[in-house]
């Protein structure tokens, strides 16, 4: 009887391991296929002019300089806005609202915001900001991206701070350390790698967002770093050029897709490898 139980458990274990390996290989297969398609179609368009020239008119040579700089600028502003808010909100949830109904409500709303379609956030900023000032702008795009950053950083900060053993807090309290100093000098230092990982993952997410920028920053075919004016971005340029009937624009769209894919992949590798266990 015991031998039959052992055999059944052994075959169950083998079956579940095989199923797990199959699901992993399936996911890796689609990832490899996507990367191969992007690189094979966009490799020929990767050149120095891609980083030195602005988006061209149909039939002319050009690059994606204005779109690259626009994406980087709006993502930088969004990160600078969303990261402090997300860290402070996550700190409140983990350190000050334990067991409270307000904390549970904030966590629920943060989860809703985390899973909300980005186009809804773009429409929200369009109604609240764009219609108020009367024009599209880089600020509007940065505000929309910042709202996407905030819930990611909130969730990461909350989860990381929850991993800190309570005896560290108790030891600091026993030495007369105030709570704010405990959080800054002990808690943040203990989980800084985890919080930074969350910030990098948030940046990777907003770098590929298209829908919110269509309603906020729109686009700009010319070089412009004025945040109070319409601004080009890589996702919007890819969206526009991929649907165009011009072959040269289609090639630039594939090149832009390769740049975003490689940048997001690089950020994920940095977050997963270089900050693992720190």
């Amino acid at each position: 009887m015991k031998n039959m139980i052992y055999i059944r458990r052994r075959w169950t274990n083998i079956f579940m391991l095989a199923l797990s390996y199959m699901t992993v290989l399936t996911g890796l297969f689609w990832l490899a296929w996507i990367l191969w398609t992007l690189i094979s179609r966009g490799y020929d368009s990767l050149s120095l002019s891609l980083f030195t020239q602005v988006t061209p008119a149909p039939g002319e040579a050009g690059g994606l300089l204005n779109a690259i700089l626009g994406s980087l600028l709006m993502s930088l502003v969004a990160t600078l806005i969303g990261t402090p808010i997300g860290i402070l909100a996550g700190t409140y949830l983990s350190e000050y609202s334990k067991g409270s109904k307000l904390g549970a409500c904030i966590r629920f709303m943060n989860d809703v915001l985390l899973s909300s379609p980005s186009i809804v956030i773009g429409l929200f900023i369009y109604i609240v900001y764009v219609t108020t000032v009367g024009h599209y702008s880089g600020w509007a795009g940065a505000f929309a991206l910042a709202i996407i950053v905030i819930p990611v950083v909130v969730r990461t900060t909350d989860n990381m701070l929850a991993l800190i053993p309570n005896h560290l807090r108790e030891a600091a309290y026993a030495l007369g350390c105030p709570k704010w100093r405990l959080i800054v000098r002990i808690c943040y230092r203990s989980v800084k790698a985890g919080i930074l990982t969350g910030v990098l993952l948030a940046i990777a997410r907003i770098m590929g967002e298209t829908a919110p920028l269509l309603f906020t920053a729109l686009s700009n075919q010319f070089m412009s770093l004025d945040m109070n004016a319409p601004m080009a971005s890589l996702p919007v340029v890819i969206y526009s050029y991929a649907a165009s009937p011009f072959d040269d624009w289609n090639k630039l769209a594939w090149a832009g897709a390769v740049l975003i894919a490689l940048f997001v992949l690089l950020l994920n590798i940095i977050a997963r490898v270089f900050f693992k266990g720190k």
Side-chain angles (χ1 to χ4, degrees):
M1 185 66 181
K2 292 182 178 180
N3 190 37
M4 292 299 297
I5 294 175
Y6 169 76
I7 293 176
R8 187 177 70 251
R9 291 179 175 176
R10 184 167 178 266
W11 280 106
T12 302
N13 180 63
I14 293 174
F15 173 76
M16 295 306 297
L17 284 176
L19 186 61
S20 300
Y21 284 129
M22 287 178 59
T23 55
V24 171
L25 291 176
T26 302
L28 292 176
F29 168 77
W30 293 112
L31 175 61
W33 193 355
I34 291 172
L35 291 177
W36 169 253
T37 302
L38 289 175
I39 294 175
S40 62
R41 299 231 179 166
Y43 176 78
D44 293 337
S45 300
L46 294 177
S47 61
L48 183 61
S49 62
L50 194 71
F51 304 95
T52 58
Q53 299 180 19
V54 299
T55 49
E60 298 182 2
L64 299 172
L65 177 61
N66 54 332
I68 294 173
L69 293 180
S71 288
L72 292 177
L73 184 57
M74 285 188 286
S75 298
L76 176 61
V77 174
T79 304
L80 293 177
I81 295 174
T83 299
I85 297 175
I87 292 177
L88 292 176
T91 302
Y92 170 78
L93 291 176
S94 180
E95 300 295 329
Y96 292 95
S97 69
K98 293 181 180 179
S100 68
K101 293 183 179 180
L102 178 61
C105 180
I106 294 175
R107 281 193 179 90
F108 174 75
M109 295 305 297
N110 186 75
D111 292 340
V112 171
L113 183 60
L114 186 63
S115 57
S116 296
S118 59
I119 192 171
V120 176
I121 298 174
L123 286 171
F124 170 75
I125 295 298
Y126 175 81
I127 296 298
V128 173
Y129 183 82
V130 175
T131 57
T132 301
V133 300
H135 59 85
Y136 299 97
S137 66
W139 287 116
F143 293 154
L145 296 180
I147 295 179
I148 299 175
V149 169
I150 290 173
V152 178
V153 180
V154 170
R155 170 67 72 83
T156 304
T157 304
D158 185 17
N159 291 341
M160 290 297 103
L161 291 175
L163 296 177
I164 298 177
N166 282 329
H167 64 78
L168 290 179
R169 297 182 176 89
E170 294 171 356
Y173 290 145
L175 295 174
C177 180
K179 190 161 189 171
W180 70 268
R181 187 178 294 274
L182 161 69
I183 294 172
V184 174
R185 301 297 295 273
I186 297 177
C187 295
Y188 284 165
R189 288 187 177 183
S190 300
V191 298
K192 60 182 180 181
I195 295 176
L196 184 56
T197 298
V199 174
L200 291 177
L201 295 177
I203 296 173
R205 178 180 175 184
I206 64 176
M207 284 298 297
E209 290 291 347
T210 305
L213 298 180
L214 288 172
F215 295 96
T216 53
L218 195 60
S219 188
N220 193 336
Q221 190 173 352
F222 306 99
M223 174 62 70
S224 175
L225 298 180
D226 183 7
M227 291 291 290
N228 202 37
M231 182 172 289
S233 62
L234 268 178
V236 175
V237 169
I238 292 170
Y239 169 79
S240 301
Y241 281 19
S244 71
F246 307 109
D247 291 337
D248 50 346
W249 280 14
N250 294 153
K251 292 180 180 179
L252 284 178
W254 281 110
V258 171
L259 291 180
I260 288 184
L262 293 179
F263 182 77
V264 172
L265 184 62
L266 178 63
L267 283 182
N268 279 275
I269 292 175
I270 293 174
R272 301 292 183 182
V273 176
F274 289 94
F275 296 103
K276 183 178 180 180
K278 292 185 180 181

